[in-house]
Amino acid sequence: MAKKKIAMLTGGGDAPGLNAVIYTLVRACHSMFDCEMIGYKFGYRGMYLNDFVKLDNNTTSGILHRGGSILYNSNKDNLFNYSVVENGAEVRKDVSDVAYQNMLNEGVTHLVVLGGDGTLTSARDFARKGEKVAGGGIKVLGVPKTIDNDLPATESTFGFDTAVNIVTENLGRLHTTAESHHRVIVVEVMGRSAGWICLHAGIAGSADVIVIPEIPYTVDGIVKKIEARSAAGKPFSIVAVTEGAAGADGKPLVEKFVPGSPDGDRFGGVAKYIAGQIEERIKDKHEVRHCVLGHIQRGGDTSPADRILSARYGFKVAEMIRDGETGRMVCLKGGKMESISLEDVLGRGETGETAKGGAKTVDPNGELVKVARALGISFGDL
């Protein structure tokens, strides 16, 4: 069997568990077959600049538990629409052929891409390039990554459990100060179009109100719950809000537009807005504060559950490399690690049909929402 040279990169936002995937993949590949491994720094930018590091048991030692990525992350480097400066002006160009040639020059036989929708879309497009090269070109495999747990092609993504644990802990900490001062505290957590983190952590952390994108909120609905608690002798409340939550108009608050970012609009400010609206209505009864957890949810050590899940992803990818698979993404289905075509996840399917696309969102009438309501949690809807 010919020696394999495997490259990998981590694109998009960082997520707890990336290092655990790298750690496991390196060890599994070296134990299964003869190979050399490298990691491109800062995602696809490293491919374009040919900036990489060697990956082996020594260079990846001690990273299983660490959050972030030893390869670093970037979410602004789409090589099929890359920002370059020509004649003093910034223009967008397709520089993917340069990156692909860099890999060929280095003798890369396999590329493993860890990322979300944007990163994996480019992985699919690099896999398509391979289809046009004699002998099949570089084999490309994907690993889904998002703390939001909103990818429909897989049951669970690493980083989600860690984020839920962190938010749950912080809700508990805020409970004590809210109760001590008889305050209402509005807590903003991550989640662009799906409220999984807020819902899970809100239940586990005993939030009184959970506001998610899938259930439009009203300030009156939130205030109704706060006043009901006060009447019952509970003069304090915790309101957990997803950053992508929206009112009746269906429009989340946009903090700023970020050029070059795959998401474009950066959501934020909803906790401050809701806190201000609540205070206008109940300022004579309670003080109202807001808190944005932000990137705290991504930081620190990876939870044991996410380390194990990441290790399973990494091992499965090693098996896929061994078995000669390409153009596929590892996924969790029915509790087992399987794989699915990147075309099915992001574009035309293997049968010629178009992939459904879109995020995996919370069912407003699903079991967890019903559980929360049975616990007396409000969703801010009247």
Side-chain angles (χ1 to χ4, degrees), residues 9-23:
L9 61 85
T10 55
D14 62 299
L18 284 171
N19 282 327
V21 175
I22 296 170
Y23 179 91

Side-chain angles (χ1 to χ4, degrees), residues 21 24-25 28 32 310-320:
V21 175
T24 307
L25 181 57
M32 288 182 183
S310 299
R312 295 178 66 194
Y313 273 113
F315 179 72
K316 178 61 178 178
V317 175
E319 289 187 320
M320 293 164 69

Side-chain angles (χ1 to χ4, degrees), residues 82-156:
Y82 194 68
S83 175
V84 297
V85 176
E86 292 185 347
N87 300 320
E90 181 179 334
V91 296
R92 293 275 172 179
K93 295 183 64 175
D94 182 347
V95 298
S96 60
D97 284 343
V98 175
Y100 201 88
Q101 189 61 50
N102 284 340
M103 289 194 290
L104 292 175
N105 293 343
E106 292 296 332
V108 171
T109 59
H110 296 75
L111 173 66
V112 179
V113 175
L114 286 65
D117 285 340
T119 305
L120 291 176
T121 296
S122 289
R124 177 204 64 191
D125 294 341
F126 276 111
R128 288 176 175 175
K129 282 184 179 290
E131 295 174 355
K132 302 175 182 178
V133 177
I138 298 166
K139 291 180 169 59
V140 181
L141 297 170
V143 179
K145 177 273 319 169
T146 171
I147 67 169
D148 293 340
N149 201 37
D150 61 351
L151 297 180
T154 188
E155 291 174 358
S156 183

Side-chain angles (χ1 to χ4, degrees), residues 75-76 256-266:
N75 61 358
K76 299 181 179 67
K256 64 185 294 187
F257 177 77
V258 184
S261 170
D263 296 323
D265 291 335
R266 178 181 295 170

Side-chain angles (χ1 to χ4, degrees), residues 64-353:
L64 177 69
H65 67 288
R66 287 169 52 185
S69 168
I70 62 167
L71 299 179
Y72 314 118
N73 290 73
S74 174
N75 61 358
K76 299 181 179 67
D77 297 304
N78 177 2
L79 300 186
F80 294 86
N81 187 32
Y82 194 68
S83 175
V84 297
V85 176
E86 292 185 347
N87 300 320
E90 181 179 334
V91 296
R92 293 275 172 179
K93 295 183 64 175
D94 182 347
V95 298
S96 60
D97 284 343
V98 175
Y100 201 88
Q101 189 61 50
N102 284 340
M103 289 194 290
L104 292 175
N105 293 343
E106 292 296 332
V108 171
T109 59
H110 296 75
L111 173 66
V112 179
V113 175
L114 286 65
D117 285 340
T119 305
L120 291 176
T121 296
S122 289
R124 177 204 64 191
D125 294 341
F126 276 111
R128 288 176 175 175
K129 282 184 179 290
E131 295 174 355
K132 302 175 182 178
V133 177
I138 298 166
K139 291 180 169 59
V140 181
L141 297 170
V143 179
K145 177 273 319 169
T146 171
I147 67 169
D148 293 340
N149 201 37
D150 61 351
L151 297 180
T154 188
E155 291 174 358
S156 183
T157 54
F158 55 84
F160 173 67
D161 181 74
T162 303
V164 169
N165 286 347
I166 293 170
V167 175
T168 300
E169 178 187 353
N170 280 278
L171 290 179
R173 291 177 180 274
L174 290 168
H175 257 107
T176 58
T177 186
E179 184 174 9
S180 178
H181 289 272
H182 288 188
R183 284 175 176 158
V184 173
I185 300 183
V186 185
V187 188
E188 186 173 313
V189 306
M190 287 183 170
R192 286 186 60 82
S193 57
W196 294 110
I197 294 176
C198 196
L199 178 59
H200 280 245
I203 293 173
S206 299
D208 304 300
V209 181
I210 296 173
V211 182
I212 58 177
E214 296 85 348
I215 302 177
Y217 73 87
T218 66
V219 176
D220 288 341
I222 297 172
V223 170
K224 180 180 178 181
K225 176 62 179 179
I226 294 169
E227 291 180 334
R229 282 178 52 78
S230 292
K234 297 286 186 179
F236 67 96
S237 294
I238 298 293
V239 180
V241 182
T242 310
E243 64 183 349
D249 62 359
K251 298 179 180 179
L253 291 181
V254 177
E255 188 176 50
K256 64 185 294 187
F257 177 77
V258 184
S261 170
D263 296 323
D265 291 335
R266 178 181 295 170
F267 295 164
V270 65
K272 182 178 180 180
Y273 170 77
I274 289 177
Q277 292 295 306
I278 293 173
E279 192 164 39
E280 285 186 8
R281 290 164 170 79
I282 61 172
K283 59 186 176 183
D284 295 332
K285 301 175 183 178
H286 303 285
E287 289 185 355
V288 183
R289 298 286 188 271
H290 77 278
C291 174
V292 180
L293 296 184
H295 290 81
I296 289 174
Q297 295 155 89
R298 295 185 183 273
D301 287 348
T302 305
S303 73
D306 274 337
R307 296 178 206 181
I308 294 168
L309 180 60
S310 299
R312 295 178 66 194
Y313 273 113
F315 179 72
K316 178 61 178 178
V317 175
E319 289 187 320
M320 293 164 69
I321 294 172
R322 178 198 64 195
D323 297 341
E325 295 190 41
T326 186
R328 301 188 70 81
M329 183 191 82
V330 63
C331 60
L332 185 66
K333 291 289 186 182
K336 296 180 179 180
M337 283 295 165
E338 299 181 0
S339 71
I340 185 173
S341 169
L342 285 168
E343 298 287 356
D344 284 335
V345 176
L346 300 158
R348 61 171 176 79
E350 292 172 323
T351 60
E353 298 177 353

